Amino acid sequence: MATLETKRATGLTISDVAQETGLTSHTLRYYERAGLLAGVERNGSGHRRYTSEDVEWVILVTRLRATGMPIRLIRRYAELVRDGEGNEAERLALLEAHRAEVVARLDQLHRNLELIDYKIGLYRERACDVGAR
Amino acid sequence: MATLETKRATGLTISDVAQETGLTSHTLRYYERAGLLAGVERNGSGHRRYTSEDVEWVILVTRLRATGMPIRLIRRYAELVRDGEGNEAERLALLEAHRAEVVARLDQLHRNLELIDYKIGLYRERACDVGAR
DNA sequence: GCTTGACTTAGAGTGCACTCGAATCCCTAC
DNA sequence: GTAGGGATTCGAGTGCACTCTAAGTCAAGC
């Protein structure tokens, strides 16, 4: 078994990263296949070894997913980052467009939450009443 | 073609309701099959005729869907409503549980939005800088 | 009376994001 | 040296919520 020392030198295994990010190894491989992760380094026997930068990136990906950004947009963003400098404007545009969608979704969620609260109020106030649906 | 008068008397057609709710006729039939809508009345030739109460209910369903309540829970709720009085406590519990989930999701969304804002900030402030990912 | 178009049904297909299976490989411990 | 456990790959399977197709029925307008 690799010591912490060794891991620091050679990078984390896929199950280390799975544990740290809350994803499964399956999902990590799926993300890599889908182009969300730049090529992760391999050791002599072909096993993935993740750097801490890789892990940071994976965490960013999970956050973007958690806000509902679809895989294909995250891939686009990842591609831009991989292509390096010169496309920052496009990256910014992509993030801003997504931000706008998240804000819109938050608004809608807040509004619909009010309806739920209204219904809950009905059931609480007139629990023995007839017509509440 | 049915006049508005006629429609008021006989109920709305599926495409009327589709238009009014933003769903498609397909989705309305799907919801009915899935047990989300109590049996909608039919006219002589077997076509659905929706009452305004039906439409109200459909709108409530769309709002619950918009907050991410899964079909199976909406079905459960619809069943309770159909069963009539006596189960208000369960309806309330169902709505409150869902409310808690929505609130949790809102929180998480807010937190992740902050990360997006942070990234956007990076690109705005140091658009010409190197290391921003 | 016949076309047009909206409606009906059962059931198949789609898109998304995983999620899992099977076969195989390889390092470690006994 | 061999069993175990985890890694690899490709590709198939799953779950959800629609979304659409095909075959057929029916009412209204020309």
Side-chain angles (χ1 to χ4, degrees):
Chain A
M1 186 194 175
T3 64
L4 247 182
E5 280 299 288
T6 324
K7 286 191 178 181
R8 219 165 255 135
T10 59
L12 300 170
T13 69
I14 195 167
S15 37
D16 293 333
V17 178
Q19 187 131 44
E20 213 162 307
T21 59
L23 300 172
T24 66
S25 321
H26 282 302
T27 303
L28 281 166
R29 286 191 282 265
Y30 164 69
Y31 280 178
E32 195 173 333
R33 247 182 303 157
L36 270 52
L37 279 48
V40 174
E41 290 296 313
R42 307 302 180 100
N43 70 1
S45 43
H47 291 197
R48 290 172 180 78
R49 285 297 124 97
Y50 294 78
T51 67
S52 53
E53 278 193 0
D54 290 332
V55 176
E56 284 303 303
W57 179 258
V58 171
I59 289 170
L60 173 59
V61 167
T62 62
R63 297 264 197 274
L64 292 176
R65 283 293 304 123
T67 57
M69 187 185 275
I71 298 287
R72 90 172 177 287
L73 283 188
I74 302 181
R75 172 167 49 230
R76 179 80 194 117
Y77 184 59
E79 280 165 1
L80 290 171
V81 171
R82 252 173 274 151
D83 286 353
E85 302 166 55
N87 57 28
E88 283 79 4
E90 195 174 345
R91 292 188 217 171
L92 180 58
L94 195 152
L95 288 181
E96 284 179 333
H98 180 60
R99 181 185 197 282
E101 291 208 353
V102 173
V103 169
R105 208 139 38 77
L106 274 172
D107 279 3
Q108 208 210 351
L109 221 43
H110 274 299
R111 259 180 292 121
N112 290 325
L113 187 60
E114 278 171 23
L115 176 61
I116 295 176
D117 283 340
Y118 171 72
K119 287 278 169 189
I120 288 178
L122 285 186
Y123 281 117
R124 281 205 185 127
E125 283 172 27
R126 12 187 228 136
C128 39
D129 212 73
V130 184
R133 289 184 107 178
Chain B
M1 186 194 175
T3 63
L4 246 180
E5 281 299 289
T6 325
K7 285 190 180 184
R8 221 166 255 135
T10 60
L12 300 170
T13 68
I14 195 167
S15 36
D16 292 334
V17 178
Q19 188 132 44
E20 214 162 305
T21 59
L23 301 172
T24 66
S25 321
H26 282 304
T27 303
L28 281 167
R29 288 190 210 101
Y30 165 70
Y31 279 178
E32 197 173 331
R33 246 183 304 159
L36 271 53
L37 280 47
V40 173
E41 290 295 313
R42 305 305 179 99
N43 69 3
S45 42
H47 291 198
R48 290 171 180 79
R49 285 298 124 95
Y50 294 78
T51 68
S52 54
E53 277 194 1
D54 290 334
V55 177
E56 282 305 303
W57 178 260
V58 171
I59 289 171
L60 173 60
V61 168
T62 63
R63 298 263 198 275
L64 292 175
R65 283 294 305 125
T67 57
M69 187 185 275
I71 296 290
R72 91 175 175 285
L73 283 189
I74 301 181
R75 171 168 48 230
R76 181 80 195 116
Y77 185 59
E79 280 165 1
L80 291 172
V81 171
R82 251 173 275 152
D83 286 354
E85 302 166 55
N87 56 28
E88 283 79 4
E90 196 175 343
R91 292 188 216 170
L92 179 58
L94 195 152
L95 289 181
E96 284 179 334
H98 180 61
R99 181 184 197 282
E101 291 207 353
V102 174
V103 169
R105 208 140 36 78
L106 273 172
D107 279 4
Q108 206 210 353
L109 220 43
H110 273 301
R111 260 180 290 120
N112 289 324
L113 187 60
E114 278 171 23
L115 176 61
I116 295 175
D117 282 341
Y118 171 71
K119 286 281 169 188
I120 287 178
L122 285 185
Y123 281 118
R124 280 206 183 125
E125 282 172 28
R126 16 186 226 137
C128 39
D129 211 73
V130 183
R133 289 184 110 181

